[in-house]
Amino acid sequence: MELRLRERDHRHHFDCAIVGEQLVLSGEGREDLRFSIEAHDASTLLLRLDDGLMRARYVKRGRDLWVQVGSRAVLFHLLDEEEEEDLAAAEGSPVIRAPMPGKLLEILVEPGSTVRAGQPVVRVEAMKMEVELSATIDGRVVEIHAEVGELVSPENPLVTLEALDAEDSPSGDGVGPGSQS
Amino acid sequence: MSAAKGKTSASQASTSKRSSSAAGAAKGKASAAAKGIQRVLVANRGEIAVRVIRACRELGIGCVAVVSEADRFSLHAQLADEVVEIGGAAATESYLVGERVIAAATETGCDAVHPGYGFLAENADFARECAAAGLIFIGPQPEVIEEMGLKTRARARMEKAAVPVVPGAMLAEDASDAQLEETGQAVGFPLLVKASAGGGGKGMREVHAAHELVAAVGAARREAMSAFGNGEVYLERLLQRPRHIEVQVLGDSHGNVIHLGERECSIQRRHQKIVEESPAPNLSNELRARIHQTAVLAASSVNYEGAGTVEMLLDESGEFYFLEMNTRLQVEHPVTEWVTGVDLVAEQIRIAQGEPIRTKQTEIVVRGHAIETRLYAEDPAEGFLPQTGEVLLFEPPGGPGVRVDTGINAGAEVSLHYDPMIAKISTWAENRDAARRRMVEALRETVLLGVNCNLSYLKVICEHPAYAAGEIHTGFLEEHLPGWRPPSLELRSTEDSAPGETHEEKREQTRGGTDGGARSLREDALLAAAAAVFSGHVSVGMGIGGVGTNGIGADGVGGAEAPGPWQRIGPMRLHATGVSSTMASSKKEAR
């Protein structure tokens, strides 16, 4: 079967098959991942990978799955087709949003300006702390959706970016989101 | 407040008549002291409310919790004898509304209020209103709260008492930009702009050059105004690689002041403490003793009553300065409790009812070493932004020498209304390195799903060689882990990997860093788990629509069966290497 997952802003597409006693995960140009499920209960999975036994703790809610291995926890979301199309469309032009409700204090870029990944784009106040939000990609500012002083929330886009064309990319090293599908 | 002078506070039970109804009778406080505190209203939420409730119950004192409508089912509400709902989810509609807290205390027959930390803990007016309502405020005298709460006044007071303070300067509110820069030059760069009413890094700005000062003062004023309702800021010289060392003090109404050793709280991110310990490492006994004496001097100079903390900065040359005094229980108090064996909340209650401190200074012996880490609902991958959501699974660590203070129970919601701290994990052992190793293991055991948190960050800090060596200062995280974020999952193969390169080789070179090859293994496991669950091979209630059978292979063994504690699919060999698991359904049935 096909598995279409999202983890943060990243989209992943795998094929999942049973071969003998193992589950085999293949796709994305990655070497096949073979594993067997040794045991599980409602929140623990004991997996055998070629390297040995790994314990994963998990909680599934609908199409969301939280998994912790070691002290690392990750949220996976199982995408349906529509979500995946929306996400694919958005990847070329990422939108900066306020992570939580707050107030827009300052806009540090202008429409048309070029930004590098990691460059601060706006300053917002959330939870009584001032926070800078940064560009996620090397790109160009397409649109600014809010004004200074406005109350903003995660639903409202603040700034829309678009990826630079290959020739005017500041450096060619970015394996940014959306570099392949 | 008028001429009451607050001196009624828990003093020697001079008045015994109870002025129960008269709301203005400020002297009522002493009457409760005569027979001892019977019932405490806990004016807080979360882990600190739980901590206070536990202490009350152990002392045989009644305890009443107040909750906002968001906290009806919270842990502190479950543990208290009685619960009063005092308003909406926003703290400004509940935990910060003094009248409602006092009304709840009066209605439920309480004779004392414990404010915890935060909310009303350092609100002198609230302390006075408690006294006016005939309630003992478990904390120091209102005028001391007030004086120490305004950092500029505290600095002046300490200077008078010959306690060294960090060089700095006041700022007039209407100072022109030129005057600002002039004052800045006089203090010297780099410097800090600090909110007079501030705390926890809010309203604070680092300024490295004169031209940045005006903007920084503006930002700090705005932040201070919104956080504390007081926009006053001042300048303080920024010491180079200082250590934040604070001393726990106890004072009583009989004029005794003692210290309970120091805490090292230099591991801070944006001026917010995240790892603390006691005693402070790499400190000569002579210097340690001078720091303790200075703290006792500071507390004595204001006739301090209750538990308090004198915060100091120690610079590289061994000079130390008074930073501020916190007139309340401190978040990191468990490390002091670990090494001294003193129950600070119990002491607060005894002092508040007029008893002398039970322990002499000479009887305070620091034994072993304790470390605390603060587990926060924040996302290290997104600039440590506070996170919200339902805690779906939380398994705190345990074992000897491990303490967990938390207000989280099953289904608890981390909301943006309150502090995003999920738990304080503290460990004790006979020496620092043993306590540190115990902490690393405790963090390794901790499971938290449902909200992003700083768990892996805390572990990285505690495992860092410089931390292990005790080479710490307030710039530690900036110096050793600048811009740290958890490695992003590299689930797809990198495009530039050379053809023919083996899986193993790739693992070895995954983006260098502390976890190296193990990280990639973890990614595999994360992905494998997601595949197992999402493909329906592990049953977790409702499967994804349309996905076929549960279980692997044709023999039908797997998740579809009635859920046991463990569903065995094959025999497990935890230590075996290279032994493939054989499918054996018969073994499962035989179990």
Side-chain angles (χ1 to χ4, degrees):
Chain A
M1 66 171 291
E2 285 187 335
L3 272 186
R4 294 161 188 272
L5 304 177
R6 175 167 59 76
E7 186 270 319
R8 292 190 182 274
D9 297 332
H10 302 278
R11 196 156 53 90
H12 302 286
H13 190 174
F14 291 98
D15 273 315
C16 188
I18 300 165
V19 177
E21 292 162 4
Q22 292 187 309
L23 275 175
V24 179
L25 204 58
S26 55
E28 302 196 342
R30 166 195 178 102
E31 189 165 322
D32 288 359
L33 177 64
R34 293 166 182 275
F35 63 98
S36 53
I37 305 165
E38 294 284 322
H40 73 87
D41 71 2
S43 70
T44 309
L45 271 170
L46 221 49
L47 304 166
R48 183 175 295 284
L49 287 91
D50 46 359
D51 308 83
L53 212 49
M54 299 291 285
R55 187 190 307 271
R57 305 302 307 274
Y58 71 95
V59 176
K60 179 166 170 284
R61 282 289 150 99
R63 305 177 78 91
D64 286 337
L65 178 74
W66 283 91
V67 186
Q68 180 172 336
V69 172
S71 46
R72 180 87 191 273
V74 163
L75 173 62
F76 289 105
H77 178 77
L78 186 67
L79 294 165
D80 62 26
E81 255 173 58
E82 199 179 318
E83 285 174 311
E84 186 167 32
E85 281 168 19
D86 292 348
L87 208 60
E91 273 174 7
S93 54
V95 175
I96 312 287
R97 293 165 192 274
M100 49 179 44
K103 194 166 86 178
L104 184 58
L105 294 179
E106 195 177 352
I107 299 168
L108 305 163
V109 292
E110 285 169 10
S113 56
T114 310
V115 293
R116 282 176 163 274
Q119 180 184 334
V121 175
V122 292
R123 268 187 330 116
V124 294
E125 184 191 86
M127 305 280 286
K128 293 181 179 167
M129 296 286 280
E130 289 188 14
V131 185
E132 282 179 348
L133 304 179
S134 304
T136 46
I137 55 163
D138 290 340
R140 186 180 291 117
V141 177
V142 179
E143 194 176 349
I144 294 167
H145 306 270
E147 284 175 22
V148 169
E150 209 171 298
L151 293 175
V152 294
S153 74
E155 294 87 59
N156 317 126
L158 298 179
V159 176
T160 301
L161 306 175
E162 71 178 354
L164 294 178
D165 298 335
E167 60 266 30
D168 51 24
S169 170
S171 64
D173 59 358
V175 188
S179 54
Q180 63 181 97
S181 63
Chain B
M1 181 83 189
S2 57
K5 285 279 173 205
K7 280 293 180 209
T8 56
S9 61
S11 55
Q12 299 88 312
S14 49
T15 350
S16 60
K17 77 169 187 302
R18 172 133 190 187
S19 49
S20 53
S21 60
K27 294 267 155 70
K29 197 170 176 181
S31 68
K35 55 186 165 70
I37 291 170
Q38 302 295 310
R39 206 158 201 231
V40 174
L41 183 119
V42 183
N44 216 300
R45 66 177 302 282
E47 67 88 16
I48 196 60
V50 170
R51 168 75 186 91
V52 174
I53 289 166
R54 283 178 177 146
C56 289
R57 293 195 52 84
E58 286 168 22
L59 291 168
I61 296 173
C63 49
V64 177
V66 287
V67 295
S68 71
E69 61 186 30
D71 280 343
R72 281 172 198 155
F73 304 104
S74 64
L75 188 58
H76 79 284
Q78 286 174 26
L79 298 179
D81 299 341
E82 210 172 312
V83 183
V84 182
E85 190 175 316
I86 54 166
T92 48
E93 293 169 20
S94 49
Y95 299 106
L96 282 169
V97 185
E99 310 95 81
R100 294 194 198 165
V101 171
I102 289 171
T106 315
E107 279 163 27
T108 53
C110 290
D111 47 15
V113 173
H114 194 302
Y117 56 72
F119 295 133
L120 298 165
E122 288 169 292
N123 182 326
D125 289 337
F126 176 72
R128 289 193 183 105
E129 284 156 18
C130 283
L135 297 162
I136 294 178
F137 175 80
I138 302 176
Q141 312 90 309
E143 61 274 17
V144 174
I145 298 176
E146 199 159 65
E147 191 151 34
M148 295 297 118
L150 281 174
K151 293 181 178 177
T152 41
R153 274 181 70 185
R155 282 171 56 93
R157 181 74 189 250
M158 288 303 140
E159 276 184 302
K160 215 161 60 182
V163 172
V165 300
V166 184
M170 302 289 304
L171 288 181
E173 210 169 309
D174 54 357
S176 68
D177 291 358
Q179 283 170 317
L180 270 186
E181 290 193 10
E182 192 177 318
T183 315
Q185 296 290 3
V187 172
F189 292 95
L191 56 76
L192 274 178
V193 184
K194 293 175 83 172
S196 187
K202 285 172 187 163
M204 187 154 16
R205 282 287 180 288
E206 267 184 35
V207 181
H208 292 269
H211 70 271
E212 301 168 2
L213 185 62
V214 172
V217 167
R221 276 190 177 140
R222 275 200 307 278
E223 209 170 292
M225 197 44 141
S226 110
F228 316 109
N230 177 344
E232 189 189 27
V233 297
Y234 66 102
L235 305 183
E236 202 173 81
R237 187 181 300 163
L238 183 65
L239 302 178
Q240 292 307 298
R241 294 165 60 98
R243 292 171 66 180
H244 176 116
I245 292 181
E246 59 184 34
V247 181
Q248 177 69 53
V249 294
L250 283 178
D252 64 23
S253 55
H254 306 268
N256 303 307
V257 175
I258 65 167
H259 70 81
L260 284 80
E262 79 285 357
R263 292 184 289 256
E264 161 77 67
C265 308
S266 298
I267 306 290
Q268 305 181 355
R269 206 188 60 76
R270 289 195 203 148
H271 305 285
Q272 200 127 34
K273 300 164 189 170
I274 53 176
V275 180
E276 302 104 337
E277 61 187 288
S278 183
N282 301 336
L283 208 59
S284 76
N285 284 336
E286 183 270 330
L287 184 54
R288 195 187 307 272
R290 278 200 288 132
I291 289 173
H292 292 166
Q293 283 157 15
T294 304
V296 170
L297 174 64
S300 304
S301 74
V302 294
N303 301 313
Y304 197 82
E305 291 177 24
T309 295
V310 181
E311 296 192 335
M312 302 206 237
L313 283 181
L314 171 68
D315 74 13
E316 287 182 295
S317 68
E319 292 294 316
F320 59 88
Y321 307 94
F322 172 87
L323 190 60
E324 62 180 278
M325 180 163 192
N326 293 320
T327 55
R328 52 167 165 89
L329 195 64
Q330 206 95 339
V331 175
E332 58 274 22
H333 76 276
V335 292
T336 298
E337 296 189 319
W338 270 123
V339 296
T340 60
V342 173
D343 181 332
L344 286 167
V345 180
E347 284 306 320
Q348 284 187 299
I349 293 171
R350 291 194 191 98
I351 291 168
Q353 61 191 15
E355 290 178 37
I357 299 166
R358 299 196 308 176
T359 325
K360 291 194 188 70
Q361 183 67 69
T362 49
E363 291 166 356
I364 299 291
V365 179
V366 170
R367 194 174 148 260
H369 200 101
I371 298 176
E372 174 185 276
T373 54
R374 301 190 192 182
L375 186 62
Y376 277 108
E378 58 185 19
D379 187 359
E382 296 287 345
F384 291 87
L385 276 165
Q387 300 288 294
T388 59
E390 187 188 345
V391 175
L392 300 173
L393 183 66
F394 177 44
E395 289 178 6
V402 178
R403 167 176 169 180
V404 178
D405 288 83
T406 183
I408 296 288
N409 51 4
E413 189 83 26
V414 179
S415 78
L416 56 91
H417 294 297
Y418 313 115
D419 187 89
M421 192 169 74
I422 287 178
K424 305 186 302 202
I425 300 169
S426 58
T427 58
W428 178 91
E430 58 277 8
N431 60 54
R432 184 173 190 269
D433 200 52
R436 187 188 65 82
R437 286 164 189 270
R438 190 165 270 173
M439 178 59 74
V440 170
E441 283 310 299
L443 294 171
R444 199 180 70 92
E445 278 180 34
T446 305
V447 179
L448 179 72
L449 295 177
V451 278
N452 287 309
C453 72
N454 63 344
L455 179 63
S456 54
Y457 187 51
L458 294 173
K459 192 156 164 283
V460 166
I461 294 167
C462 292
E463 287 175 323
H464 197 283
Y467 181 75
E471 292 161 4
I472 45 190
H473 56 93
T474 56
F476 180 94
L477 296 175
E478 268 304 305
E479 180 176 322
H480 296 288
L481 300 166
W484 187 88
R485 59 207 316 276
S488 59
L489 280 193
E490 203 65 40
L491 296 181
R492 63 184 81 193
S493 65
T494 47
E495 280 150 76
D496 54 353
S497 63
E501 192 177 33
T502 69
H503 200 28
E504 259 46 56
E505 280 167 297
K506 249 182 291 179
R507 281 185 184 181
E508 291 312 312
Q509 46 174 261
T510 318
R511 272 183 318 266
T514 47
D515 295 25
R519 181 192 306 147
S520 174
L521 194 63
R522 205 172 294 157
E523 287 173 6
D524 285 354
L526 285 164
L527 200 56
V533 175
F534 277 139
S535 63
H537 290 290
V538 170
S539 82
V540 278
M542 300 255 288
I544 299 297
V547 175
T549 57
N550 282 314
I552 295 180
D555 60 359
V557 180
E561 295 185 10
W566 282 97
Q567 305 222 5
R568 274 202 176 193
I569 289 160
M572 274 191 292
R573 300 221 176 106
L574 276 158
H575 303 292
T577 47
V579 181
S580 68
S581 60
T582 34
M583 299 304 294
S585 57
S586 57
K587 286 202 178 172
K588 179 172 188 278
E589 279 144 20
R591 191 153 61 104

